[in-house]
Amino acid sequence: MNRYFIAILGGGPAGYTAAEKASKAGKDVVLFEQNAVGGTCLNVGCIPTKSLLYGAKQYYNASHAQKYGVTAENVAFDFAAMQKRKTIVVRKLVAGIKQRLNNEHCTLVSGAARVLSRTDELVTIECNGETYEAENLLICTGSTNFVPPIPGIQDNPAVWDSTDALAAQELPKSIIIVGGGVIGMEFATLYHELGVPVTVIEAMPTILPNLDQEVVAVLLEKYRKAGINILTSTKVTAVTDNGLRVTGADGEEASFEADKILVSVGRRANLQGLEALTDLELYRGGVVVDEFMKTNLDNVYACGDVTGKIMLAHVAARQAEVCIGRLLRQIPLQRIAYNAIPSVVYTNPEIATVGITEQQAAEMNIETEVRRLPMTFSGRFMAENEGETGLCKMVVDSKKQTVLGVHMIGNPCSEFVAAASFAVRNGYTIQEMEQVVFPHPTVSEILHEIL
Ligand code: NAD
């Protein structure tokens, strides 16, 4: 039996990044994946949604091209063709990951692995009836969709999670989305742009509750005007075969009907296969880790969604880099700049943020000044975003004059939020930001205009 330096459970962005980094450094790695490598992000998350959203945006833009002086007649779409293209994009990227892992030090095992036993020196794992031994274990088992305990929700064929929605070959005739978070609002965008009537039911007083609410208000206004029915402070009390019952903020009850109900109220860490690790410390269902992703067990590490921290693919990948860097004793030891993690919501317009909001700064007792500018201060934005105003907000530490956060809505802010991440990550002052030259004409210039 081979003995590996590290056994990795799960081949998503955390697992494959760790496997690539460790094996390329000459360490023997065994990586277990029960589905396709690439994990949720690549197979049933980020990439397939962005492929479909891009198709929907093309159709939507063609249908609304008149404002740019273009008349397009008989604009139509073929959802099955969009799905086919999505599958091809995913397949190519999965093949690319397999290629990256194709080296003499990396063994990829296809199957569901489980930990059999663990000592401080050795972890034993079973997969497909074979036993594997490793000095270290890295848990990258990701997360699964959370189904809230609402009567009528379980085993209801009308109820979808995001994986069902992505797999469907036909569009629903109408849809209710339970949960106005990131998944909920991205699917609301997809269906709305393809002409499906959409209702969003959000339990909190606002959609996307963790984001800057002034930015969210811009989206909310646009989506409501466009006809998306968004109900906030609304609780689902029961799910039926063709809809659901809710209680609104005022305690009033109501019923809504739809062809499908998409439930997107968050995800939970996936701990399957870890049952033998009875001493593994958990917090709110996620694996507890230190700043180098080590768990409370000496040779056991965890990265990505399974830690229940920030469920983003780019965080998972960075956690894996830091974790393997520490295991390889690379000097200087790297850490994760959790204060500068960018995130994007692929609505139309897009939302992109990094760093703290003014509300979070207030909770942390940091005195801030907040700068605001409509995106229309950018010439390129004006040229390409007819009828939109957008918004850019910058949260600045009043005393140090450093950039603490940037929050934006307006296309294509996802493509330049990384520039704001540099500023937040490196603690740039306004004066230092002023010295950065932004290309003209680009929407990114808003980061200069706002100073
Ligand atoms: P989320 O936490 O972003 O949103 C869940 C929403 O559901 C919240 O607004 C919450 O208030 C609401 N909610 C909870 N219970 C409810 C109930 N019973 N009725 C109505 N509303 C309820 O979770 P998600 O959208 O499911 O996404 C899961 C994870 O995947 C998140 O961590 C998210 O960041 C990540 N993700 C990221 C991206 C991206 O980066 N673009 C895209 C998709 C998913």
Side-chain angles (χ1 to χ4, degrees):
M1 188 193 325
N2 276 341
R3 189 167 160 164
Y4 297 89
F5 171 71
I6 188 164
I8 303 173
L9 263 57
Y16 72 69
T17 304
E20 185 182 11
K21 188 169 161 104
S23 61
K24 288 197 170 152
K27 297 288 187 188
D28 289 324
V29 175
V30 58
L31 172 66
F32 301 95
E33 172 53 58
Q34 58 190 352
N35 298 314
V37 286
T40 300
C41 167
L42 184 38
N43 294 286
V44 286
C46 326
I47 301 301
T49 48
K50 263 80 266 176
S51 302
L52 291 180
L53 276 166
Y54 191 73
K57 199 190 254 182
Q58 296 303 311
Y59 170 70
Y60 187 83
N61 285 348
S63 315
H64 294 78
Q66 259 180 341
K67 57 188 176 182
Y68 299 105
V70 177
T71 312
E73 280 168 17
N74 302 323
V75 179
F77 67 86
D78 175 348
F79 190 63
M82 285 183 186
Q83 284 284 29
K84 198 169 163 194
R85 178 179 168 271
K86 172 205 84 179
T87 306
I88 293 168
V89 169
V90 169
R91 202 179 293 149
K92 282 184 183 163
L93 289 167
V94 168
I97 303 247
K98 278 192 181 154
Q99 194 54 40
R100 280 163 63 176
L101 298 174
N102 186 14
N103 72 65
E104 57 178 326
H105 293 291
C106 188
T107 304
L108 179 59
V109 180
S110 186
R114 71 190 166 102
V115 178
L116 289 180
S117 63
R118 177 207 156 262
T119 65
D120 282 350
E121 289 76 39
L122 203 67
V123 182
T124 312
I125 287 154
E126 183 275 329
C127 186
N128 304 329
E130 301 267 332
T131 307
Y132 299 81
E133 287 180 349
E135 289 164 42
N136 300 288
L137 172 68
L138 176 53
I139 303 166
C140 302
T141 46
S143 61
T144 50
N145 192 54
F146 174 65
V147 182
I150 298 171
I153 207 168
Q154 289 287 353
D155 302 322
N156 185 333
V159 173
W160 275 354
D161 63 16
S162 55
T163 307
D164 300 320
L166 285 171
Q169 290 304 307
E170 278 180 26
L171 279 174
K173 290 176 194 67
S174 57
I175 194 154
I176 298 173
I177 299 176
V178 181
V182 187
I183 294 182
M185 294 319 295
E186 290 187 1
F187 275 97
T189 306
L190 174 74
Y191 291 126
H192 169 69
E193 293 196 335
L194 294 179
V196 176
V198 177
T199 298
V200 177
I201 313 265
E202 167 58 53
M204 301 288 280
T206 173
I207 56 165
L208 300 165
N210 299 327
L211 298 186
D212 180 278
Q213 285 305 306
E214 219 176 320
V215 160
V216 171
V218 176
L219 184 76
L220 206 47
E221 193 190 339
K222 179 177 174 187
Y223 274 19
R224 280 188 168 143
K225 261 191 198 154
I228 304 180
N229 186 18
I230 301 176
L231 305 167
T232 52
S233 299
T234 301
K235 297 225 160 38
V236 180
T237 52
V239 179
T240 60
D241 290 348
N242 62 345
L244 42 72
R245 285 197 288 278
V246 301
T247 309
D250 48 9
E252 210 167 287
E253 294 188 357
S255 299
F256 294 92
E257 286 188 2
D259 184 18
K260 293 289 173 201
I261 298 154
L262 171 64
V263 176
S264 52
V265 298
R267 297 177 65 86
R268 296 290 180 271
N270 175 23
L271 303 174
Q272 264 176 8
L274 307 175
E275 294 78 5
L277 299 175
T278 48
D279 296 336
L280 185 68
E281 193 187 340
L282 303 177
Y283 178 70
R284 291 186 173 179
V287 179
V288 176
V289 287
D290 68 12
E291 59 184 327
F292 300 111
M293 313 315 295
K294 194 178 87 59
T295 69
N296 63 314
L297 306 176
D298 254 355
N299 50 350
V300 180
Y301 296 76
C303 295
D305 284 10
V306 74
T307 63
K309 272 193 157 184
I310 308 171
M311 292 192 181
L312 294 172
H314 44 285
V315 173
R318 179 68 189 136
Q319 288 175 335
E321 286 170 359
V322 166
C323 174
I324 298 300
R326 143 135 191 187
L327 266 166
L328 299 179
R329 299 183 203 290
Q330 285 176 342
I331 303 290
L333 274 178
Q334 293 186 18
R335 285 179 172 75
I336 303 167
Y338 280 112
N339 67 321
I341 305 284
S343 77
V344 176
V345 188
Y346 293 86
T347 44
N348 188 10
E350 301 169 345
I351 294 176
T353 79
V354 63
I356 57 172
T357 60
E358 55 179 324
Q359 191 189 338
Q360 286 163 340
E363 284 160 11
M364 293 158 83
N365 288 323
I366 303 173
E367 228 176 90
T368 57
E369 50 191 57
V370 179
R371 297 166 188 222
R372 290 177 180 76
L373 210 58
M375 287 285 198
T376 43
F377 274 67
S378 146
R380 173 90 182 271
F381 184 86
M382 283 291 280
E384 296 184 357
N385 292 274
E386 187 59 42
E388 304 276 348
T389 49
L391 178 64
C392 178
K393 283 178 75 174
M394 189 177 271
V395 181
V396 180
D397 186 310
S398 306
K399 288 194 191 101
K400 298 182 195 154
Q401 285 295 294
T402 48
V403 182
L404 299 177
V406 174
H407 308 273
M408 300 181 280
I409 181 164
N411 295 333
C413 59
S414 65
E415 285 303 331
F416 61 86
V417 68
S421 300
F422 279 121
V424 177
R425 160 73 179 79
N426 296 319
Y428 284 177
T429 60
I430 293 294
Q431 235 181 9
E432 283 165 329
M433 281 289 280
E434 277 167 355
Q435 293 169 43
V436 178
V437 178
F438 289 83
H440 179 77
T442 62
V443 184
S444 71
E445 285 173 287
I446 200 71
L447 295 175
H448 192 76
E449 293 292 329
I450 200 169
L451 299 173

